[in-house]
Amino acid sequence: MIYSHGGPSGDHRDKLTKIDFSVSLNAYGPPKEVVNAIHSASIDTYPDPTSLEPRTTASIHWNIDRSCILFGAGASEFIHFATQALINRGDTALIASHTYGEYRRAALIAGAQVLDVDGMYIDIQKLGEKIENSRPKITYLCNPNNPTGQLILGPELKYIANLCQSVNGYLMLDQSYDGFLADPLGTPALREHPSVIHIRSITKDFALAGVRAGFLVAPESICQKIDQIRIPWSASTVAQNAAVATFTAGAALHANKTIPQLRDERERIDKAFNSLGFETVSGHTHTLLCKVGNATDFSSKLLQEFGLRVRDCTSFNLPEYIRVAARTVDENSILIDAISNLEAR
């Protein structure tokens, strides 16, 4: 099986990796409150199949009715199950590209005809025209976007959501990177909109990728449709405990302290790459796109010679670019030195 994502891939690259810049996680790790909650999880009983505690905690913090919240094993689970619940074979799905590959995969598995609005930056006018003309059942929009970091603000989001509603479709709004923004839009970004499915991963800003945890926020009727086709016990007790702990004051303090450091480090990497002659695309999160020519060859050299793993963006249909997620100061300095050495040859 071939995985076109960052992080472990189950092949020889995993053994070569010393520092992983290919995953868009908080490099400072999870908050201690979350770690303690994971350690306290009971693993000798079945988890609550309704995930009542994390859903209740989220409903209080987000001021949303609990019936409009689902909890599961990360954003990707909800991308697939929501697509299966809402798309019929032959329906049209529209993707604002370049972006996360699981939208396309989920739509194709469901039997949809997949259309794209391509561009390094999402053109709101073009996206709106495509919605009006193709009348998609689901429009997939990652905001802020992966891998570009582009951010679409509230009025434009509402415009797109209203267009989706006007063609009897849905906007799947993936907010997995919202926590990395200097001014997060918050969950849900479009409160109580009848045609919006909000997806909010907590595995990235709280460094919980190995736990798999995320929320979906949508009207109760949509949540019921999605819940009907999900497998039982998809969210472990460990994940549920961890999710509840992310809403504590200590966890928020950890995120508020570390994430600005990651954004600052992204700016430092950006300036260093520019000084070496690289063209970069710096968005609103802690990640950076860098134009390197042949991304596959470049990323392979970094891994084989220095043990540094970056994201080859060929799978995003950006074969000239790599994506780098900023890490700690020392780790980022190692990356900058390695690329300087490559360029000096």
Side-chain angles (χ1 to χ4, degrees), residues 255-318:
N256 291 337
K257 178 181 178 181
T258 57
I259 289 174
Q261 295 176 25
L262 295 174
R263 288 197 305 270
D264 289 344
E265 280 298 289
R266 179 213 65 210
E267 292 183 11
R268 183 169 75 95
I269 297 171
D270 192 6
K271 291 177 181 178
F273 281 22
N274 289 159
S275 70
L276 293 169
F278 289 104
E279 177 184 330
T280 57
V281 177
S282 186
H284 290 81
T285 68
H286 67 310
T287 65
L288 176 74
L289 280 180
C290 183
K291 191 172 184 180
V292 296
N294 187 317
T296 301
D297 287 348
F298 192 90
S299 59
S300 179
K301 288 178 181 177
L302 273 178
L303 182 61
Q304 291 178 9
E305 297 185 31
F306 302 98
L308 307 181
R309 191 166 190 162
V310 296
R311 183 72 156 87
D312 177 356
C313 289
T314 300
S315 63
F316 291 106
N317 200 26
L318 293 168

Side-chain angles (χ1 to χ4, degrees), residues 34 37-55 70-74 77-78 81 202-203 208-215 230-245:
V34 175
I38 290 172
H39 288 164
S40 69
S42 174
I43 60 173
D44 60 350
T45 58
Y46 280 98
D48 170 12
T50 70
S51 299
L52 182 61
E53 191 173 4
R55 289 171 52 237
L70 297 178
F71 178 75
E77 178 196 354
F78 283 128
F81 281 128
I202 57 172
T203 61
L208 294 171
V211 172
R212 310 307 304 138
F215 290 93
R230 295 172 67 198
I231 60 173
W233 309 297
S234 68
S236 70
T237 304
V238 171
Q240 293 184 41
N241 275 26
V244 171

Side-chain angles (χ1 to χ4, degrees), residues 26-298:
N26 186 335
Y28 291 95
K32 64 180 181 180
E33 291 81 2
V34 175
V35 174
N36 292 338
I38 290 172
H39 288 164
S40 69
S42 174
I43 60 173
D44 60 350
T45 58
Y46 280 98
D48 170 12
T50 70
S51 299
L52 182 61
E53 191 173 4
R55 289 171 52 237
T56 300
T57 304
S59 73
I60 294 169
H61 281 261
W62 295 338
N63 193 26
I64 310 167
D65 194 282
R66 191 174 62 207
S67 64
C68 297
I69 302 174
L70 297 178
F71 178 75
S76 292
E77 178 196 354
F78 283 128
I79 290 167
H80 280 267
F81 281 128
T83 299
Q84 290 176 35
L86 299 175
I87 278 188
N88 296 315
R89 186 165 295 276
D91 284 344
T92 298
L94 179 62
I95 301 174
S97 301
H98 305 277
T99 195
Y100 186 43
E102 288 302 317
Y103 309 136
R104 180 180 307 279
R105 186 163 174 258
L108 290 174
I109 289 172
Q113 176 189 2
V114 181
L115 303 177
D116 295 90
V117 178
D118 286 327
M120 181 63 76
Y121 296 104
I122 297 167
D123 186 318
I124 295 298
Q125 183 176 349
K126 284 178 61 178
L127 179 59
E129 291 172 354
K130 197 77 169 181
I131 292 170
E132 290 179 315
N133 294 332
S134 61
R135 303 180 67 84
K137 191 64 173 289
I138 295 181
T139 297
Y140 299 89
L141 178 63
C142 187
N143 189 54
N145 189 37
N146 171 32
T148 64
Q150 180 190 2
L151 176 63
I152 298 171
L153 296 175
E156 292 178 321
L157 278 181
K158 189 172 183 180
Y159 165 71
I160 294 299
N162 288 344
L163 282 178
C164 291
Q165 182 182 12
S166 72
V167 299
N168 296 315
Y170 302 96
L171 173 64
M172 189 177 293
L173 182 60
D174 188 348
Q175 295 189 259
S176 292
Y177 295 90
D178 192 66
F180 290 100
L181 296 173
D183 187 14
L185 298 180
T187 306
L190 295 173
R191 185 174 294 273
E192 296 182 355
H193 197 290
S195 296
V196 180
I197 301 142
H198 300 84
I199 293 176
R200 179 64 166 89
S201 168
I202 57 172
T203 61
K204 301 182 188 306
D205 40 345
F206 292 103
L208 294 171
V211 172
R212 310 307 304 138
F215 290 93
L216 180 145
V217 178
E220 182 179 0
S221 59
I222 296 176
C223 287
Q224 289 175 345
K225 287 183 180 179
I226 297 169
D227 217 18
Q228 286 174 356
I229 65 168
R230 295 172 67 198
I231 60 173
W233 309 297
S234 68
S236 70
T237 304
V238 171
Q240 293 184 41
N241 275 26
V244 171
T246 63
F247 290 99
T248 61
L253 183 64
H254 175 82
N256 291 337
K257 178 181 178 181
T258 57
I259 289 174
Q261 295 176 25
L262 295 174
R263 288 197 305 270
D264 289 344
E265 280 298 289
R266 179 213 65 210
E267 292 183 11
R268 183 169 75 95
I269 297 171
D270 192 6
K271 291 177 181 178
F273 281 22
N274 289 159
S275 70
L276 293 169
F278 289 104
E279 177 184 330
T280 57
V281 177
S282 186
H284 290 81
T285 68
H286 67 310
T287 65
L288 176 74
L289 280 180
C290 183
K291 191 172 184 180
V292 296
N294 187 317
T296 301
D297 287 348
F298 192 90

